[in-house]
Amino acid sequence: MSDNRAVVYAGAGKVDVVDVDFPSFTLQDGPGVNPASVGRECPHGVILKVVSTNICGSDQHMVRGRTTAPEGLVLGHEITGEVIEVGPDVEFVKVGDLCSVPFNIACGRCRNCKEGKTGICLNVNPDRPGAAYGYVDMGGWVGGQAQYVMVPYADWNLLKFPDRDQAMEKILDLTMLSDIFPTGFHGCVTAGVGVGSTVYIAGAGPVGLAAATSAQLLGAAVVIVGDLNKDRLAQARSFGCETVDVSQGDPKDQIEQLLGVPEVDCGVDAVGFEARGHGHGAAAEAPATVLNSLMELTAAGGAIGIPGLYVTGDPGAVDEAAKVGALSLSLGTGWAKSLSFATGQCPVMSYHRRLMMAILHDKVHIATAVNAKPIRLEDAPRGYADFDSGAATKFVLDPHGLISA
């Protein structure tokens, strides 16, 4: 039996749980590891015993075969864990600390990190700015859907929970701090959501539901969530959102029925590049649909936050342009309405401490909003299959049985 088990991408539509090497402070060669990173020393890192690690919609894009991810890639970028070993250059993080790990890896030393742009760190990916655990083209860092994982630049990256017992009581909420809660919050902040705003969120998956929760936390007057999936729309309604079933037609027509006008102050794209069309029988993929719709229904002078994932390599795209991330956007609409757009990875560190405090002081219940469900690491293939089938559930992997205990 190996000292470590992990979830790996095993080809389009398939994941396996396999034995993998125990992590070390030296990057080893392996599937998805950037050759320029092999042998890189990380004395600034720590080894975590993973307490919780979540299945994300971004992982699902890879598992569907919609990226250039290689088989054998260890998945997982939503990580919460206990420090069990520290590197020689770690000064402040201690063995026994229970911490949240931002999904985007940042050095804390480059210009972008010093400006708070931790989603596009310049020193963690040899190919381009920005890196993440267990994700294609994101630097080759080993993923955290495992029993153990190495986290680099630990003093900078880790968010320590102030009280371990309190944190374990709220672990299903706190596990969302690694990605979807800050990501949804970032989508709302960049869309300009504030007190009294009317907000339309495209997509009722976990990020969309996290964005809806964030909009409420920010003081929105009305939060409207659109999707094709009736179960996910019901989940949005369960915590006070209005909903739009986009299979029934253009969202702006249904928004007019709710608000009296066919527009909102703020728009959020929580769908990304696998978007589908609107209207009856709209099962066909139409990747620019959500962005063009948001430009139509966001009021002039408004803003659109785009936390939904878009990629530059999609072998399963519907046309040659979309395969390289080129979409047919009505940019003229956006220009004419003086709309603002914000894209890219959420800089998790800009938000996660404040959101942690909101959780610890019972100001928000994100696990309930996204319908979090813990499952065993060995049950990850079933979790991926259920999530892919449209389950209105955020699956949280429990590698050591600590959540169920």
Side-chain angles (χ1 to χ4, degrees):
M1 176 65 71
S2 167
D3 291 329
N4 197 12
R5 297 276 286 171
V7 182
V8 300
Y9 172 58
K14 185 178 180 184
V15 300
D16 288 332
V17 184
V18 302
D19 294 341
V20 297
D21 291 337
F22 193 85
S24 74
F25 297 121
T26 303
L27 297 190
Q28 308 294 322
D29 196 7
V33 176
N34 193 302
S37 295
V38 174
R40 180 172 181 167
E41 299 292 338
C42 298
H44 41 67
V46 300
I47 307 299
L48 291 186
K49 177 181 180 179
V50 177
V51 172
S52 62
T53 176
N54 315 327
I55 297 175
C56 180
S58 299
D59 299 319
Q60 201 67 267
H61 291 307
M62 288 189 290
V63 173
R64 291 186 187 121
R66 296 299 299 269
T67 72
T68 56
E71 293 186 21
L73 179 75
V74 177
L75 299 168
H77 56 272
E78 300 190 13
I79 309 163
T80 303
E82 177 189 355
V83 177
I84 61 169
E85 184 178 349
V86 299
D89 289 354
V90 176
E91 186 175 1
F92 302 111
V93 174
K94 306 300 181 185
V95 170
D97 287 348
L98 185 60
C99 304
S100 178
V101 184
F103 78 89
N104 29 36
I105 301 166
C107 73
R109 306 168 186 182
C110 70
R111 171 181 175 175
N112 283 352
C113 283
K114 289 179 179 180
E115 293 178 353
K117 303 171 185 174
T118 54
I120 44 174
C121 173
L122 300 174
N123 289 330
V124 288
N125 186 345
D127 289 337
R128 65 187 189 194
Y133 304 89
Y135 211 84
V136 59
D137 297 330
M138 294 302 289
W141 299 87
V142 176
Q145 286 177 13
Q147 293 175 312
Y148 302 93
V149 67
M150 193 276 286
V151 173
Y153 303 103
D155 282 328
W156 171 251
N157 281 304
L158 291 179
L159 174 67
K160 177 185 173 181
F161 300 138
D163 182 274
R164 181 187 180 87
D165 291 340
Q166 182 191 30
M168 287 305 298
E169 289 176 2
K170 297 179 179 292
I171 192 64
L172 285 179
D173 293 289
L174 294 171
T175 192
M176 306 305 164
L177 292 173
S178 56
D179 182 356
I180 66 164
F181 195 9
T183 292
F185 196 85
H186 179 64
C188 289
V189 168
T190 55
V193 177
V195 174
S197 298
T198 56
V199 186
Y200 176 69
I201 296 165
V207 170
L209 296 174
T213 303
S214 299
Q216 293 174 338
L217 191 62
L218 287 164
V222 183
V223 180
I224 305 169
V225 180
D227 206 293
L228 295 155
N229 184 309
K230 289 180 170 51
D231 291 338
R232 290 180 173 180
L233 291 173
Q235 182 63 29
R237 289 192 295 273
S238 74
F239 59 95
C241 298
E242 301 287 350
T243 58
V244 163
D245 183 346
V246 299
S247 71
Q248 301 304 306
D250 195 318
K252 69 176 186 293
D253 296 333
Q254 298 177 65
I255 288 170
E256 184 172 20
Q257 294 175 18
L258 291 168
L259 299 179
V261 292
E263 63 183 22
V264 293
D265 301 321
C266 314
V268 178
D269 174 6
V271 178
F273 72 103
E274 288 191 67
R276 298 186 179 276
H278 297 157
H280 296 284
E285 191 168 309
T289 297
V290 169
L291 290 171
N292 286 328
S293 173
L294 283 168
M295 284 189 275
E296 289 184 6
L297 59 82
T298 301
I304 300 171
I306 309 173
L309 175 68
Y310 289 87
V311 297
T312 56
D314 176 8
V318 294
D319 55 49
E320 292 303 311
K323 287 181 180 179
V324 293
L327 307 181
S328 181
L329 297 178
S330 179
L331 191 59
T333 299
W335 190 94
K337 297 176 72 174
S338 295
L339 298 176
S340 299
F341 304 84
T343 67
Q345 288 189 45
C346 163
V348 170
M349 293 175 67
S350 295
Y351 306 107
H352 65 172
R353 185 184 181 279
R354 287 177 290 165
L355 295 177
M356 175 189 75
M357 295 301 288
I359 289 169
L360 294 178
H361 292 276
D362 293 319
K363 299 302 181 185
V364 65
H365 300 282
I366 184 65
T368 300
V370 301
N371 192 26
K373 178 182 179 181
I375 62 174
R376 299 184 313 142
L377 185 73
E378 300 294 331
D379 291 333
R382 177 176 59 82
Y384 269 94
D386 289 349
F387 188 35
D388 192 49
S389 70
T393 304
K394 177 69 171 177
F395 290 102
V396 178
L397 301 179
D398 182 10
H400 294 280
L402 297 172
I403 300 175
S404 57

